[in-house]
Amino acid sequence: MSTKRDYYEVLGVAKGASDADIKKSYRTKARKHHPDVDKTAGAEERFKEINEAYQVLSDPQKKAAYDQYGHAAFSSGGAPGGARGYSYGYGPGINVDFGAEGFRDPFEIFEEFFGTSSPFGRRRSRGPARGEDLHYELTIPFEQAAFGEEKKISIPRHEACDLCGGSGAEKGSRTKTCPTCQGKGQVARQTQTILGSFVVQQTCSECHGEGQIIERKCKKCKGAGRVQATKETTITIPAGVSDGDTVRFQGLGEAGERGSGYGDLYITIHVAPHREFKRRGYDVHIDRNISFRQAALGDTLEVPTLDGMIKLRIPEGTQTGTDFRIKDKGIKHDNSRGDQFVRVTVVTPKNLSSKQKEALTDL
């Protein structure tokens, strides 16, 4: 008697459920039990079981055979009534062959639903991938972070070969179907075990999964379609960037092989500390000392801002620790700016003469 769970039970749907309900349930359970998300014991087996169930119930012919014969429809001995057998997916790139029509790799089906690259890190190769991303660090002055600025930079990277235009082929040469994999990009290796016939799919070593090979390779790039170079470009540092922020510049990364497109450039910004200004969000803060007389009688101070020196009125009777706000003199962001705050500290006089002490006493 079969120990397999009922496929409808696996997907959590009733027998006779619509295709839309089966698909919806599969999406939910596949995300939940993907091995890169579900770290509990047996997660990968549950994920494969879910995909096995979906492959059957989403196919009208397989579903009809299952509804009539159950799991016996897909047994190695053949199904009653002449139903054909199928293979059971045991994991990425591994199939157990129980008939002419093979079950597909569950990760391949998952990627058809959720994109060519799994959100959990598994990625399947389909021809030459785009170039890799580049990561650099850049230190800028405080003022550049406050207002933003354009900067010229030099990036060592691979660029598309100018001789072959990134194709990797010598001029006049063409590509042809890989004779090793017959254009599939993968080759199968069959292994007999007590569980059945395992067919392991591997990336073709001849064409590296592309399915095509070049008749005559470009002499400059040796068929890679790219060469080492230095990219001179101007980037824009956005206004308001903070220390540790990473800014993405699309298409400034490495060139992919055989004209498959450029990756991106990621620059992590480090903001050099300022000798006076301290940043808090989009506001800037500075400290200023004032005398007892200035605090008591009031005065006008010259204070620095990101836009230059301005005059700040200190009213009489100011207490130590008072913050004065200067509107719109802070960090630029979007279409506005933060503020600047000036904190004053009243300096208590020391080493007073007798006459000064007497005057304070009279006061």
Side-chain angles (χ1 to χ4, degrees):
M1 189 175 186
S2 175
T3 59
K4 284 178 176 288
R5 284 206 299 155
D6 180 80
Y7 286 151
Y8 291 101
E9 179 186 344
V10 170
L11 292 184
V13 296
K15 190 172 182 178
S18 67
D19 292 342
D21 288 339
I22 291 173
K23 189 174 184 178
K24 180 179 179 182
S25 181
Y26 166 74
R27 291 172 65 95
T28 301
K29 288 184 176 292
R31 283 186 183 276
K32 180 179 179 181
H33 295 291
H34 193 286
D36 290 340
V37 173
D38 187 352
K39 300 301 183 182
T40 61
E44 186 162 346
E45 291 304 316
R46 286 193 294 274
F47 181 70
K48 287 182 285 190
E49 183 184 43
I50 291 165
N51 279 277
E52 179 188 350
Y54 178 74
Q55 289 179 62
V56 172
L57 298 184
S58 63
D59 183 289
Q61 292 183 338
K62 296 176 184 178
K63 182 174 180 290
Y66 178 73
D67 287 345
Q68 185 173 2
Y69 302 111
H71 293 297
F74 313 110
S75 65
S76 57
R84 302 181 63 184
Y86 303 98
S87 63
Y88 169 51
Y90 269 72
I94 301 176
N95 293 329
V96 180
D97 190 1
F98 289 138
E101 297 182 26
F103 272 137
R104 297 160 59 203
D105 176 358
F107 290 98
E108 180 179 309
I109 295 180
F110 184 89
E111 288 163 4
E112 283 185 5
F113 274 97
F114 308 113
T116 56
S117 178
S118 163
F120 311 111
R122 296 182 185 267
R123 177 174 171 174
R124 298 181 63 84
S125 176
R126 288 287 183 265
R130 76 176 181 92
E132 295 182 359
D133 297 331
L134 292 176
H135 298 261
Y136 287 102
E137 297 187 357
L138 178 66
T139 299
I140 62 174
F142 190 93
E143 289 84 357
Q144 286 185 11
F147 296 113
E149 186 166 309
E150 291 188 344
K151 292 187 71 71
K152 291 183 178 180
I153 61 172
S154 299
I155 311 168
R157 66 173 190 172
H158 287 96
E159 295 187 348
C161 176
D162 56 357
L163 184 61
C164 65
S167 69
E170 187 178 310
K171 189 175 182 179
S173 179
R174 297 179 299 178
T175 59
K176 63 180 182 179
T177 300
C178 175
T180 302
C181 66
Q182 303 301 315
K184 296 178 180 178
Q186 291 186 325
V187 293
R189 180 172 57 85
Q190 190 169 7
T191 303
Q192 296 289 337
T193 72
I194 59 173
L195 295 176
S197 175
F198 281 81
V199 180
V200 180
Q201 299 288 339
Q202 296 177 324
T203 300
C204 177
S205 60
E206 179 70 20
C207 66
H208 305 291
E210 297 177 27
Q212 301 287 318
I213 59 174
I214 298 171
E215 290 181 338
R216 297 192 308 276
K217 294 181 179 179
C218 171
K219 292 182 175 62
K220 184 174 182 179
C221 67
K222 307 298 190 252
R226 61 180 191 169
V227 292
Q228 185 66 46
T230 299
K231 172 71 173 178
E232 305 285 342
T233 188
T234 299
I235 61 172
T236 300
I237 304 298
V241 66
S242 298
D243 184 67
D245 282 353
T246 297
V247 184
R248 172 179 175 244
F249 300 93
Q250 191 170 3
L252 289 181
E254 296 270 27
E257 293 187 353
R258 300 193 179 101
S260 56
Y262 284 83
D264 299 329
L265 171 65
Y266 291 85
I267 296 183
T268 298
I269 303 296
H270 298 290
V271 181
H274 196 276
R275 61 187 181 89
E276 288 197 274
F277 297 121
K278 299 291 186 293
R279 178 173 177 171
R280 297 176 191 167
Y282 293 112
D283 297 329
V284 294
H285 296 251
I286 64 170
D287 295 321
R288 276 295 179 268
N289 292 335
I290 60 174
S291 67
F292 179 79
R293 179 191 63 79
Q294 288 174 309
L297 303 179
D299 201 356
T300 299
L301 299 180
E302 280 201 344
V303 296
T305 71
L306 291 171
D307 300 308
M309 301 297 291
I310 66 167
K311 292 183 177 181
L312 176 66
R313 174 64 184 169
I314 304 297
E316 62 181 49
T318 294
Q319 302 298 306
T320 191
T322 300
D323 284 319
F324 293 94
R325 176 190 178 201
I326 307 174
K327 189 174 174 53
D328 296 331
K329 291 296 181 182
I331 305 294
K332 186 177 179 180
H333 63 102
D334 300 325
N335 295 319
S336 60
R337 288 183 65 173
D339 301 325
Q340 178 170 323
F341 292 86
V342 181
R343 172 164 291 189
V344 296
T345 299
V346 179
V347 179
T348 304
K350 298 179 180 179
N351 303 318
L352 297 175
S353 64
S354 298
K355 188 175 181 180
Q356 289 171 327
K357 291 180 180 179
E358 186 177 327
L360 285 175
T361 300
D362 293 341
L363 179 63

